[in-house]
Amino acid sequence: MKIRCFTLSVLVIILAVLFTGCGEEEYELDGVKVSKIQLDIVSGSDATFKFSVSNSSDEDILFDAGKFTLKLDGEDGKVIGFMGGKETIKADSKDTLSYLVYEAHPEIKEDDTVKVYFDDKEICQVKVGKIEL
């Protein structure tokens, strides 16, 4: 009985890690620490792509959020476009950046899996969330 409980506990932990996507993971991208990557449906078909940034250096950094690519997981890997661009991340600061997803995005639904790339390199996967207003 103890072995079953332990095995079940380990399985639950593994599944939780697999399905949280980027979660609290932190990535060093072009000199900026990026974490808490999310893609959420806000209302109807409106959606946002957001993430936290941190610059621990003593100089401002120009960060190009346009280097992110979001692809709907699946055979065709449709790209989900968003209104990202270059942002100045102030020295010794933390912030959250949020971008509207283009209305012409592929049909995304809550709990869909989206692969997140930066500069053409896959960094993680996220589950599409939903924000109730």
Side-chain angles (χ1 to χ4, degrees):
M1 183 67 162
K2 288 181 182 180
I3 293 174
R4 276 191 203 165
C5 289
F6 176 75
T7 304
L8 183 60
S9 298
V10 169
L11 181 61
V12 168
I13 290 170
I14 290 170
L15 288 174
V17 169
L18 288 175
F19 289 107
T20 33
C22 300
E24 295 299 316
E25 293 290 319
E26 191 171 78
Y27 306 93
E28 182 79 27
L29 305 174
D30 289 349
V32 173
K33 291 180 182 169
V34 176
S35 63
K36 300 178 185 173
I37 299 172
Q38 296 176 238
L39 180 62
D40 296 307
I41 297 170
V42 180
S43 64
S45 63
D46 292 341
T48 62
F49 171 57
K50 70 179 179 179
F51 51 91
S52 296
V53 292
S54 174
N55 176 5
S56 58
S57 75
D58 57 357
E59 295 182 20
D60 294 352
I61 296 175
L62 187 62
F63 181 74
D64 187 0
K67 288 184 176 183
F68 278 108
T69 303
L70 309 174
K71 291 185 181 180
L72 192 57
D73 193 23
E75 293 178 21
D76 51 6
K78 292 182 180 176
V79 173
I80 301 167
F82 64 96
M83 299 178 189
K86 295 181 179 176
E87 304 279 349
T88 300
I89 312 301
K90 297 288 185 187
D92 197 29
S93 71
K94 294 180 182 181
D95 202 359
T96 298
L97 302 179
S98 182
Y99 301 98
L100 289 174
V101 171
Y102 289 124
E103 288 183 23
H105 62 74
E107 185 61 36
I108 56 174
K109 302 176 295 307
E110 184 178 8
D111 293 329
D112 278 351
T113 300
V114 173
K115 292 182 178 181
V116 180
Y117 297 81
F118 188 82
D119 215 7
D120 296 325
K121 179 184 174 199
E122 184 178 342
I123 59 170
C124 67
Q125 295 182 22
V126 296
K127 290 279 187 188
V128 176
K130 187 169 186 177
I131 298 173
E132 299 290 334
L133 298 177

